[in-house]
Amino acid sequence: VRGDGWLPQGDPRDRLPAQIARLRALREAAGVEEPAEIGAIAEPLYVGDPPWRVGRRTLTGKPEQLAASLRAYAAMGVDQIQVRFRSRSRTELTDQMAAFAADVAPHLNA
């Protein structure tokens, strides 16, 4: 109630709007007027079409699709997100990070 932020750990995306509303209601009831910084840990990402099974909750696809999916967090009241990547090696991880920076990130503020 009196913290200055909240970063849920492992909560599914579909539960966040209700949890954010509850947090705001609790703060309001306690007389806290300052906004809380809301974070979220996004589903794992794989930029493009993975050539291997990346897991059922992994976001995959074209950069524009991934960016649109991540922008949905802002629409539900999330101020910042943490992103993580699926990979099988350090090289694949750094390639995914580079692809995100070059191809997905430019679409995040669209």
Side-chain angles (χ1 to χ4, degrees):
V1 170
R2 289 183 171 70
D4 61 1
W6 178 55
L7 176 61
Q9 300 292 308
D11 295 76
R13 181 193 294 224
D14 62 342
R15 292 185 188 170
L16 289 177
Q19 292 172 329
I20 292 168
R22 178 165 162 68
L23 174 68
R24 290 183 175 148
L26 289 169
R27 290 172 62 82
E28 183 178 332
V32 179
E33 296 180 14
E34 297 82 25
E37 185 82 9
I38 307 295
I41 300 172
E43 301 87 347
L45 304 174
Y46 191 95
V47 181
D49 294 319
W52 54 283
R53 299 185 121 206
V54 292
R56 64 183 173 86
R57 292 186 66 199
T58 301
L59 301 176
T60 65
K62 297 179 190 259
E64 298 85 4
Q65 293 170 310
L66 294 174
S69 182
L70 294 174
R71 284 195 309 268
Y73 280 101
M76 68 178 76
V78 173
D79 301 302
Q80 58 177 293
I81 57 172
Q82 291 181 16
V83 294
R84 54 201 166 133
F85 304 93
R86 290 284 192 222
S87 64
R88 298 168 292 178
S89 68
R90 283 181 294 200
T91 300
E92 188 172 32
L93 175 59
T94 56
D95 288 348
Q96 282 293 301
M97 294 168 73
F100 181 87
D103 302 329
V104 179
H107 298 285
L108 290 176
N109 291 324

